[in-house]
């Protein structure tokens, strides 16, 4: 039990001292630019620079915690009752999506494992305690509490401590759940832990209620905002393609899912999704539960209005605070944070007797093919690394320094890390910013490996704005053809996987607008009714309590040592957005300070040679730097990799990977660009075969 008798009050300072403290805080962050604080604080530097009165700066009040034990007991009873009600929901078919729903399985939920049930219950209990405290306390009091300015490490009394994994410091291989990567903090980066806020979230009640505009009015309605933005962008007369290809999009989505496991609210039994909307989409379901949160669609919607759709399914995310601490809560991550192919190998990879992965559609293992709906191209990208693992097993001696599956897993992860960090990120960032970002760090055991909320729900969705209406399909037999983007999410067995992958290499990304394939008809079955991927992104953005775009812009500029500016009018946004985008936002939002951070993807600033908007690139840089520099097993400094593995990884890139594990006759030398020069695959294979002896020293 943690007592709160020794209360450390936050001393009230004059406003000028508050300003000095904020500046000192910025300097402290800048010294460790990729750091995420365990207890993030409310970010006021932008408001102070721009002359806004900070309402809580001199408010030293804290919420009373008298009667906390009684409040906790009531919250625990409510949490248990809610979980029991959720179990009843799962066993009542009226609440569940089925084959009549076109988006069945898009909102699927995995089961809470027995070892996770206590943590989920404790998290829900803590959330209910905080919600009650927020109703009987002022916003400033709650901010002071959750920012850690009131009492030292308040933890609910009957919350049992989380058991730490037992680690063998001499075990040379990664765990499958991410535990024991950091020997001093075995749970850092582990599956099931919380994402992190770089700055305190901007919930309206500080705890969980959706953010509002600076004036207190609601933010623009989700679907209306996305639908009208898509219409506006389509009116532009600009190029809609670029040199970057769709294979780069699928690989980017693949590594995002490797570091982030989407965790919707769960029960003890998996489902294909909870029915927030009627199957026909004409209204909310009469059986809505806390496990679903359907999005409203206006009758005037430019696409859904004429077809009578008034409701879009959406599943809220599960929070993680298993230690029951009174602090800002974040979403649960169901993958390990590390770049370790955890979405491929999962917690318990299935190998055959020889140590090979069991392959299914497109060479991807069942762990990938079960994550539907996914496109055939995504399966094919995942299959490249699964087949590389098996390629290694065929060449590595069965007797070696460890199990052959573990030696080949370490090798495969090393190749994957090299491709992401030395090839794909270079393409996305451009040489200038890639050099500025500077990935030449050493392992840092004092910083936590964690993914940030803002990356997951905001700029980390950058892949989605590149989706076009169609994709090229180049089957081995038959003519190449352009097919609807959503065709590739259905009837998987009918596709030539190599043809789908080859087509993605020659399909340019979409730029300058939002395609109907993602905005109106995502995962459509009939080409008529679909869901909206950007609406889901925006809903998760707000559900996570992310602060406005200009707040994060100011924050990241301080980290990069850049000059920051204020935005008092929409015209001031000309340094970020194109004129037509500014005019659109002025009609949707009350003030430029209200714009959602998701729209960082529309930043018109680019570093020279970069393919990501500036703000997206900066936030991605910080994310990738943290995940590399906090990984004890990253391939460049992993002491357990043999010299043979190091030389093989050095010889490999995405071009070599395509040549080795596919039947392509020619492979692109610049695999993330359309119209790349090619090289004969047989030449690449011949060279790699000359290195087969290196597999003896993995």
């Amino acid at each position: 039990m943690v007592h709160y008798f020794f209360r450390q009050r936050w001393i009230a300072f004059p406003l000028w001292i508050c300003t000095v403290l904020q500046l000192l805080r910025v300097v402290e962050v800048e010294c460790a630019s990729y750091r995420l604080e365990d207890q993030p604080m409310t970010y006021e530097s932008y408001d102070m620079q721009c002359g806004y009165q900070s309402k809580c700066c001199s408010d030293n009040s804290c919420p009373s915690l008298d009667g906390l034990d009684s409040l906790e007991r009531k919250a625990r009873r409510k949490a248990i009752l809610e979980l029991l009600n959720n179990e009843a929901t799962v066993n009542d078919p009226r609440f569940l999506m089925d084959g009549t729903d076109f988006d069945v399985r898009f909102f699927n939920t995995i089961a809470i494992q027995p070892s996770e049930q206590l943590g989920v219950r404790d998290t829900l209990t803590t959330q209910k305690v905080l919600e009650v405290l927020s109703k009987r306390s002022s916003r400033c009091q709650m901010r002071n509490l959750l920012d850690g300015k009131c009492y030292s490490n308040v933890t609910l009394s009957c919350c049992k401590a989380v058991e730490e994994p037992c680690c063998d410091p001499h075990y040379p291989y990664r765990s499958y759940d991410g535990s024991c990567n950091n020997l001093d903090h075995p749970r850092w980066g582990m599956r099931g832990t919380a994402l992190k806020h770089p700055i305190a979230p901007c919930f309206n009640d500080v705890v969980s209620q959706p953010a509002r505009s600076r004036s207190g009015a609601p933010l623009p309605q989700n679907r209306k905002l996305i639908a009208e933005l898509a219409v506006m962008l389509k009116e532009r007369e600009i190029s809609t393609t670029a040199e970057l290809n769709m294979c780069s999009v699928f690989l980017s989505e693949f590594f995002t899912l490797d570091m982030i496991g989407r965790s919707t609210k769960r029960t003890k039994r998996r489902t294909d999704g909870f029915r927030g909307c009627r199957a026909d989409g004409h209204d909310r379901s009469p059986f809505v539960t806390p496990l679903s949160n359907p999005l409203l669609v206006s009758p005037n919607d430019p696409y859904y209005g004429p077809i009578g759709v008034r409701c879009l399914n959406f599943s809220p995310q599960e929070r993680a605070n298993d230690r029951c601490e009174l602090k800002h809560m974040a979403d649960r991550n169901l993958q390990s944070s590390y770049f370790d192919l955890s979405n491929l190998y999962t917690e318990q990879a299935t190998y055959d007797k020889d140590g090979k992965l069991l392959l299914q559609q497109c060479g991807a293992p069942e762990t990938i093919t079960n994550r539907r709906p996914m496109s055939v191209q995504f399966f094919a990208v995942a299959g490249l690394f699964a087949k590389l693992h098996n390629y290694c097993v065929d060449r590595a001696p069965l007797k070696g320094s460890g199990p052959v599956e573990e030696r080949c897993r370490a090798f495969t992860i090393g190749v994957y890390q090299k491709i992401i960090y030395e090839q794909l990120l270079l393409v996305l960032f451009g040489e200038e910013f890639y050099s500025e970002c500077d990935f030449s760090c050493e392992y840092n055991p004092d910083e936590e490996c964690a993914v940030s909320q803002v990356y997951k729900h905001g700029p980390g969705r950058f892949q989605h704005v590149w989706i076009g209406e169609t994709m090229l399909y180049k089957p081995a037999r038959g003519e190449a053809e352009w097919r609807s983007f959503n065709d590739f999410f259905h009837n998987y067995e009918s596709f030539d996987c190599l043809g789908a992958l080859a087509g993605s290499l020659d399909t340019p990304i979409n730029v300058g607008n939002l395609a109907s394939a993602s905005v109106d008809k995502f995962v459509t079955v009939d080409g008529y009714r679909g869901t909206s991927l950007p609406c889901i992104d925006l809903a998760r953005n707000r559900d996570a309590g992310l602060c406005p775009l200009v707040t994060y812009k100011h924050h990241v500029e301080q980290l990069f040592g850049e000059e920051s500016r204020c935005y008092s009018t929409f015209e001031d946004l000309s340094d970020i957005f194109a004129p037509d985008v500014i005019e659109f936002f002025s009609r949707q939002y009350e003030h430029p300070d209200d714009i959602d951070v998701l729209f960082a993807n529309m930043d018109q600033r680019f570093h020279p040679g970069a393919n990501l908007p500036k703000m997206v690139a900066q936030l991605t840089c910080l994310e990738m730097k943290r995940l590399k520099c906090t990984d004890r097993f990253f391939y460049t400094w992993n002491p357990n990799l043999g010299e043979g593995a190091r030389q093989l990884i050095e010889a490999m890139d995405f071009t070599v990977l395509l040549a080795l594990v596919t039947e392509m006759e020619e492979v692109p030398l610049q695999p993330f660009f359309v119209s790349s020069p090619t090289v004969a695959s047989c030449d690449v294979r011949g060279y790699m075969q000359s290195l087969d002896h290196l597999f003896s020293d993995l």
Side-chain angles (χ1 to χ4, degrees):
M1 177 177 178
V2 177
H3 297 277
Y4 51 90
F5 299 116
F6 300 100
R7 300 181 177 179
Q8 299 180 350
R9 288 281 186 180
W10 181 40
I11 302 174
F13 291 118
L15 184 59
W16 70 269
I17 295 183
C18 293
T19 305
V20 171
L21 288 176
Q22 290 291 337
L23 293 175
L24 289 175
R25 189 175 299 132
V26 166
V27 172
E28 180 183 354
V29 172
E30 189 176 349
C31 295
S33 60
Y34 59 83
R35 183 177 185 180
L36 290 174
E37 298 291 345
D38 187 57
Q39 191 143 358
M41 297 182 69
T42 301
Y43 190 75
E44 297 177 322
S45 296
Y46 175 78
D47 285 359
M48 290 183 175
Q49 176 179 324
C50 301
Y52 297 114
Q53 179 66 39
S54 179
K55 297 179 181 179
C56 298
C57 187
S58 58
D59 187 333
N60 68 346
S61 63
C62 293
S64 171
L65 297 185
D66 294 335
L68 182 62
D69 287 344
S70 175
L71 174 59
E72 178 186 343
R73 287 193 296 271
K74 293 178 181 178
R76 185 168 293 275
R77 287 197 294 270
K78 290 180 179 179
I80 293 172
L81 180 60
E82 181 175 324
L83 292 174
L84 289 173
N85 288 338
N86 289 347
E87 288 305 301
T89 296
V90 172
N91 290 303
D92 188 334
R94 296 175 303 169
F95 292 95
L96 303 178
M97 300 174 72
D98 59 30
T100 64
D101 297 88
F102 77 94
D103 50 353
V104 65
R105 297 196 69 180
F106 185 68
F107 297 98
N108 66 319
T109 61
I110 65 174
I112 303 172
Q113 300 301 317
S115 61
E116 300 173 315
Q117 291 176 17
L118 181 61
V120 172
R121 188 194 69 184
D122 288 345
T123 290
L124 188 56
T125 299
T126 310
Q127 181 75 18
K128 292 183 180 300
V129 167
L130 292 176
E131 288 172 352
V132 172
L133 286 176
S134 71
K135 291 177 181 177
R136 69 186 194 192
S137 309
S138 70
R139 292 185 79 256
C140 292
Q141 289 175 331
M142 288 304 296
R143 272 183 49 175
N144 294 341
L145 173 66
L146 300 186
D147 285 0
K149 298 172 181 175
C150 288
Y151 318 110
S152 177
N153 191 32
V154 181
T155 304
L156 298 185
S157 60
C158 61
C159 178
K160 297 180 180 179
V162 178
E163 184 178 351
E164 293 289 349
C166 182
C167 303
D168 178 357
H170 304 294
Y171 186 69
Y173 303 111
R174 293 174 180 270
S175 66
Y176 283 79
D177 63 1
S179 62
C180 295
N181 193 305
N182 188 301
L183 295 174
D184 294 328
H185 304 277
R187 295 188 66 86
W188 277 7
M190 184 178 172
R191 178 192 184 276
T193 55
L195 302 173
K196 295 281 186 175
H197 287 285
I199 57 180
C202 291
F203 289 116
N204 186 50
D205 64 346
V206 190
V207 174
S208 62
Q209 290 183 359
R212 288 179 168 262
S213 67
R214 187 174 284 279
S215 72
L219 292 173
Q221 195 270 332
N222 179 305
R223 172 61 192 178
K224 180 177 182 295
L225 181 61
I226 294 296
E228 294 183 8
L229 176 61
V231 171
M232 186 278 293
L233 293 176
K234 287 179 182 178
E235 294 174 352
R236 289 176 159 187
E237 294 182 359
I238 63 172
S239 171
T240 58
T241 59
E243 292 183 351
L244 211 62
N245 65 25
M246 282 296 292
C247 187
S248 67
V249 175
F250 291 113
L251 184 58
S252 297
E253 183 76 4
F254 181 77
F255 81 64
T256 297
L257 288 178
D258 178 33
M259 59 197 260
I260 300 168
R262 186 180 69 193
S263 176
T264 56
K265 291 186 177 180
R266 299 174 294 164
T267 68
K268 294 180 181 179
R269 181 165 70 85
R270 69 162 301 279
T271 77
D272 285 335
F274 300 100
R275 177 157 285 161
C277 304
R278 286 172 32 180
D280 59 13
H282 290 177
D283 201 353
R284 287 164 56 99
S285 164
F287 310 112
V288 171
T289 80
L291 302 167
S292 62
N293 185 20
L295 305 177
L296 175 69
V297 176
S298 167
N300 299 321
D301 189 271
Y303 183 82
Y304 288 130
I307 62 176
V309 172
R310 302 289 181 268
C311 180
L312 295 174
N313 282 310
F314 173 69
S315 299
Q317 304 288 281
E318 183 175 287
R319 305 279 189 249
N321 186 359
D322 299 352
R323 296 177 186 269
C324 306
E325 297 169 289
L326 299 191
K327 65 178 184 180
H328 297 288
M329 297 174 69
D331 293 348
R332 189 181 301 276
N333 188 358
L334 286 188
Q335 295 288 0
S336 65
S337 297
Y338 305 101
F339 280 92
D340 58 358
L341 291 174
S342 55
N343 55 341
L344 188 76
Y345 289 103
T346 68
E347 287 186 276
Q348 295 179 333
T350 303
Y351 303 106
D352 67 13
K353 61 181 178 60
D354 297 320
K356 290 185 177 182
L357 289 168
L358 302 177
L359 308 185
Q360 295 191 348
Q361 178 79 17
C362 302
E366 185 178 12
T367 56
I368 294 291
T369 56
N370 278 344
R371 295 178 65 104
R372 299 184 180 183
M374 286 289 183
S375 71
V376 172
Q377 292 86 352
F378 184 90
F379 291 167
V381 168
L384 296 176
F385 296 101
K387 287 185 281 190
L388 179 63
H389 174 101
N390 290 355
Y391 177 92
C392 170
V393 172
D394 283 334
R395 287 155 180 79
L398 292 178
K399 294 183 179 179
S401 56
V404 66
E405 61 268 24
E406 294 301 336
R407 285 179 282 138
C408 285
R409 175 169 166 256
F411 162 72
T412 302
I413 293 172
V415 173
Y416 163 71
Q417 289 177 334
K418 179 192 173 181
I419 288 171
I420 298 299
Y421 277 90
E422 297 184 24
Q423 196 170 10
L424 181 61
L425 289 183
L426 180 59
V427 167
L428 297 178
F429 288 177
E431 291 186 8
E432 180 178 302
F433 183 65
Y434 185 85
S435 177
E436 180 185 341
C437 183
D438 187 13
F439 289 110
S440 60
C441 58
E442 297 179 353
Y443 170 56
N444 183 355
D446 299 320
E447 299 293 348
E448 182 174 1
C449 183
V451 181
S452 72
Q453 289 270 94
V454 63
Y455 182 81
K456 176 186 178 184
H457 296 300
R461 317 314 290 167
F462 66 86
Q463 308 99 325
H464 295 166
V465 301
W466 289 342
I467 294 173
E469 304 289 359
T470 59
M471 285 191 59
L472 188 59
Y473 178 51
K474 302 174 68 175
R477 296 180 180 179
E479 295 292 326
E481 59 178 320
W482 290 90
R483 298 184 60 165
S484 170
F485 174 79
N486 286 294
D487 285 351
F488 298 98
F489 287 80
H490 310 285
N491 302 319
Y492 300 97
E493 65 283 349
S494 67
F495 287 100
D496 173 354
C497 293
L498 184 58
L501 179 62
S504 73
L505 293 167
D506 286 337
T507 301
I509 65 169
N510 173 77
V511 295
N513 62 40
L514 294 173
S516 181
S518 64
V519 174
D520 305 318
K521 296 185 288 188
F522 187 64
V523 300
T524 182
V525 175
D526 57 9
Y528 185 62
R529 168 85 191 284
T531 190
S532 176
L533 189 56
C535 283
I536 293 171
D537 289 340
L538 182 56
R540 287 177 180 154
N541 180 130
R542 294 177 177 180
D543 188 54
L546 297 191
C547 297
L549 179 144
V550 295
T551 304
Y552 285 110
K553 179 176 181 290
H554 190 280
H555 174 67
V556 75
E557 284 170 342
Q558 299 304 299
L559 296 180
F560 279 88
E562 297 177 351
E563 183 178 351
S564 298
R565 62 178 296 181
C566 301
Y567 299 92
S568 57
T569 68
F570 283 96
E571 288 71 22
D572 294 337
L573 293 166
S574 60
D575 68 319
I576 309 176
F577 300 120
D580 54 349
V581 174
I582 295 173
E583 197 277 331
F584 171 79
F585 284 147
S586 71
R587 288 186 278 108
Q588 299 286 337
Y589 291 92
E590 288 188 349
H591 194 276
D593 290 356
D594 301 333
I595 298 172
D596 295 89
V597 70
L598 179 70
F599 298 112
N601 290 328
M602 301 187 66
D603 188 350
Q604 67 175 353
R605 302 168 302 158
F606 284 79
H607 294 97
N611 286 288
L612 288 182
K614 182 178 179 180
M615 186 174 172
V616 175
Q618 289 175 322
L619 287 165
T620 303
C621 163
L622 298 178
E623 208 73 20
M624 301 305 173
K625 191 168 184 177
R626 182 186 319 110
L627 300 189
K628 174 184 177 180
C629 302
T630 56
D631 183 358
R632 179 164 66 101
F633 290 103
F634 197 83
Y635 83 95
T636 55
W637 52 65
N638 184 353
N640 304 303
L641 279 180
E643 186 58 32
R646 296 183 184 280
Q647 292 186 45
L648 285 165
I649 293 171
E650 181 65 26
M652 294 197 67
D653 60 11
F654 200 71
T655 297
V656 175
L657 181 62
L658 290 171
L660 282 185
V661 301
T662 74
E663 296 176 358
M664 290 183 179
E665 294 183 358
E666 293 184 331
V667 288
L669 291 172
Q670 296 177 317
F672 304 125
F673 294 93
V674 294
S675 304
S676 166
T678 60
V679 62
S681 297
C682 60
D683 292 340
V684 178
R685 295 186 194 115
Y687 171 70
M688 291 304 298
Q689 286 172 3
S690 71
L691 303 180
D692 277 356
H693 64 281
L694 296 174
F695 282 98
S696 63
D697 186 17
L698 289 177

